[in-house]
Amino acid sequence: MNVVFKVLRNRGVFANPLSLIVHYASTSEKLAKNVNLPTQPNFYNIEENADILKLAKSKIQNILSMQEADAMTIVSSNKKLLTTPSYLIKQNSELCKEKGLTGTVFMKYPFLLSEACLLKKLDSLQKLPISLETSIPLARLSINRINEIGSERDDIIKRIKDLVRIFGVTQEEACDILSKKSFLIFKNIEDIQEMLKFYYGYGFTKEEVLKDLWILKYSQSLASNRFEFIKKNNISTLKTWMVRCKEDILHKHIKRESENRDILGGNSMSQYLSEKLFCNENFTKNLIKKHPQLQNKSLPRIISMIELLCKNGFTPQHICKAPTILLHSTKTTEIRMKQLHGLGLKPDSLYVFTKSQRLYWKYVQNLLKTQSKTENESIKL
């Protein structure tokens, strides 16, 4: 509040802090409607707190004696490590070494470092007739499930071999699949093969199925009905997510594709954007290649964003320099524009509108401090 007051006082708006408080109290309803001041970030949200992330990274780096980039990769892949105590991380790392697992295992399976009962899990997995290096992904499962697997060794080994044969993966990769999609441990292998045959018939590749194995959980009739419904609505490209998404999501996708098709006419997305942004089509092709989400973004929303930006003094060149703005919410962007305008701030770039709430708030605070310092210096002169 002190920074904001200094800026406004120097501009001759308020004489003292009390007048500022009275003004805010008397016009709170108006401010709420017209200028929503940015709220502070939630520092208790560990995903938004850069300091906690940095601390966790340093902790991993020191305990495992690894490079900073590798430590950051591990922490980013396992958010539990942000709150896992150092003693447990160290204990688990030493345990894995004792079991003959190399240090690279944590890069592949960072969840191992935050496991509360890792010793029991590893002891159970060692009873399987395959090496621990091969079965280690199964440590992702609950201790009860691992014990069940241990009591039915022949069945789990057969299932691992079946997945190796069906998908052409290694035994370790098969264990990783089972640990992430545990329903495949119990699903009839003939049913899995039938579903694969069904999806291949619709043009899906083995790689596409492996990236979205949840689709094997659904019935063939459900998937068939959805695909036929999609085709009837002139959507030629089928995706695996269309099987498992909610119906309203599917309907929204069909509506968006239909709207985009009507707007584009015979043009491609790259052609359309080059006309809208007054730039070379090669540029927009590279833009879409770099940000493939643009290809599936609602064109009415893109148009709405471009119109909003141009209305507020930004040019197509500004958009070309910060194209990710087209992927952001028009509503959020408009709110931020009002906030900055209400504080007398006008950014010379669109990047501020694409920042996370935490970074956006930091930007506003820094900008206010800079302006306050500049105005104070001008008053002294």
Side-chain angles (χ1 to χ4, degrees), residues 107-366:
M107 292 293 292
K108 295 170 70 175
Y109 311 112
F111 71 87
L112 293 170
L113 292 169
S114 58
E115 284 294 320
C117 52
L118 186 60
L119 177 58
K120 291 181 180 179
K121 290 185 175 185
L122 297 186
D123 285 344
S124 293
L125 290 175
Q126 282 188 307
K127 296 176 183 178
L128 296 175
I130 52 177
S131 70
L132 187 58
E133 284 188 343
T134 299
S135 66
I136 192 62
L138 294 172
R140 189 182 280 113
L141 298 170
S142 68
I143 187 64
N144 291 334
R145 182 56 55 81
I146 291 175
N147 288 335
E148 289 176 9
I149 288 174
S151 63
E152 300 176 358
R153 301 175 197 175
D154 292 342
D155 290 339
I156 193 65
I157 294 301
K158 184 178 184 305
R159 180 49 51 100
I160 291 170
K161 290 180 178 179
D162 284 335
L163 294 186
V164 169
R165 172 176 53 83
I166 292 172
F167 291 113
V169 296
T170 64
Q171 286 193 342
E172 183 181 345
E173 288 170 335
C175 289
D176 195 39
I177 288 172
L178 293 175
S179 72
K180 293 176 180 177
K181 307 293 185 294
S182 58
F183 72 91
L184 291 174
I185 296 175
F186 310 101
K187 193 173 180 67
N188 187 289
I189 197 65
E190 285 75 23
D191 291 340
I192 293 176
Q193 290 176 305
E194 279 297 314
M195 286 303 298
L196 286 174
K197 185 179 178 181
F198 165 78
Y199 286 120
Y200 295 157
Y202 271 96
F204 290 101
T205 64
K206 187 183 295 183
E207 289 69 28
E208 286 176 312
V209 175
L210 277 170
K211 288 179 181 178
D212 195 358
L213 287 164
W214 282 118
I215 60 173
L216 296 177
K217 195 173 184 179
Y218 296 86
S219 68
Q220 186 171 316
S221 60
L222 182 146
S224 179
N225 289 336
R226 288 207 167 186
F227 289 157
E228 293 307 314
F229 174 71
I230 291 165
K231 284 187 173 182
K232 284 180 182 178
N233 283 277
N234 299 318
I235 306 297
S236 56
T237 305
L238 297 177
K239 299 291 183 180
T240 55
W241 63 263
M242 295 174 176
V243 177
R244 53 180 173 75
C245 72
K246 293 181 179 179
E247 282 194 18
D248 61 325
I249 299 294
L250 189 60
H251 285 290
K252 285 179 182 178
H253 174 75
I254 291 173
K255 181 184 177 185
R256 182 173 65 246
E257 288 291 302
S258 179
E259 289 175 342
N260 287 2
R261 192 164 52 242
D262 291 341
I263 293 172
L264 288 173
N267 295 326
S268 64
M269 179 65 85
S270 59
Q271 289 173 322
Y272 183 82
L273 286 178
S274 67
E275 292 177 7
K276 278 288 181 180
L277 300 177
F278 301 100
C279 61
N280 190 291
E281 189 183 351
N282 286 331
F283 176 83
T284 53
K285 282 182 178 179
N286 290 329
L287 204 64
I288 293 171
K289 187 177 181 180
K290 189 175 180 180
H291 306 286
Q293 307 98 308
L294 284 170
Q295 190 70 50
N296 300 315
K297 181 76 174 177
S298 167
L299 273 177
R301 291 190 180 184
I302 289 179
I303 294 169
S304 177
M305 177 63 83
I306 293 174
E307 291 175 348
L308 172 68
L309 296 173
C310 292
K311 180 182 175 182
N312 283 273
F314 293 99
T315 66
Q317 286 69 35
H318 283 112
I319 299 173
C320 288
K321 289 179 180 179
T324 53
I325 188 66
L326 297 177
L327 298 172
H328 284 258
S329 163
T330 306
K331 183 179 179 181
T332 301
T333 303
E334 188 171 15
I335 288 173
R336 290 185 175 185
M337 283 181 174
K338 287 182 179 180
Q339 289 171 350
L340 295 177
H341 178 73
L343 293 170
L345 305 174
K346 185 179 180 180
D348 55 6
S349 154
L350 293 173
Y351 283 114
V352 63
F353 301 112
T354 66
K355 294 177 181 289
S356 67
Q357 184 62 23
R358 180 179 65 82
L359 293 177
Y360 168 67
W361 170 254
K362 187 176 180 180
Y363 166 86
V364 172
Q365 293 290 65
N366 289 338

Side-chain angles (χ1 to χ4, degrees), residues 73-123:
T73 299
I74 288 176
V75 174
S76 300
S77 302
N78 182 14
K79 290 296 191 294
K80 284 185 178 181
L81 288 170
L82 294 174
T83 53
T84 302
S86 297
Y87 82 87
L88 183 58
I89 295 174
K90 186 175 182 180
Q91 177 181 295
N92 286 346
S93 65
E94 291 176 351
L95 175 60
C96 287
K97 289 178 182 178
E98 290 174 8
K99 296 289 186 179
L101 298 170
T102 62
T104 56
V105 72
F106 303 121
M107 292 293 292
K108 295 170 70 175
Y109 311 112
F111 71 87
L112 293 170
L113 292 169
S114 58
E115 284 294 320
C117 52
L118 186 60
L119 177 58
K120 291 181 180 179
K121 290 185 175 185
L122 297 186
D123 285 344

Side-chain angles (χ1 to χ4, degrees), residues 31-88:
L31 281 170
K33 290 181 179 179
N34 299 310
V35 182
N36 297 313
L37 291 175
T39 56
Q40 289 195 31
N42 178 10
F43 288 106
Y44 293 99
N45 185 331
I46 57 179
E47 292 188 2
E48 292 183 2
N49 195 328
D51 292 333
I52 292 181
L53 181 62
K54 186 177 179 180
L55 183 64
K57 181 261 299 176
S58 298
K59 184 167 58 176
I60 296 295
Q61 188 178 357
N62 292 333
I63 293 174
L64 301 182
S65 301
M66 58 170 47
Q67 295 183 351
E68 182 179 352
D70 291 338
M72 181 58 78
T73 299
I74 288 176
V75 174
S76 300
S77 302
N78 182 14
K79 290 296 191 294
K80 284 185 178 181
L81 288 170
L82 294 174
T83 53
T84 302
S86 297
Y87 82 87
L88 183 58

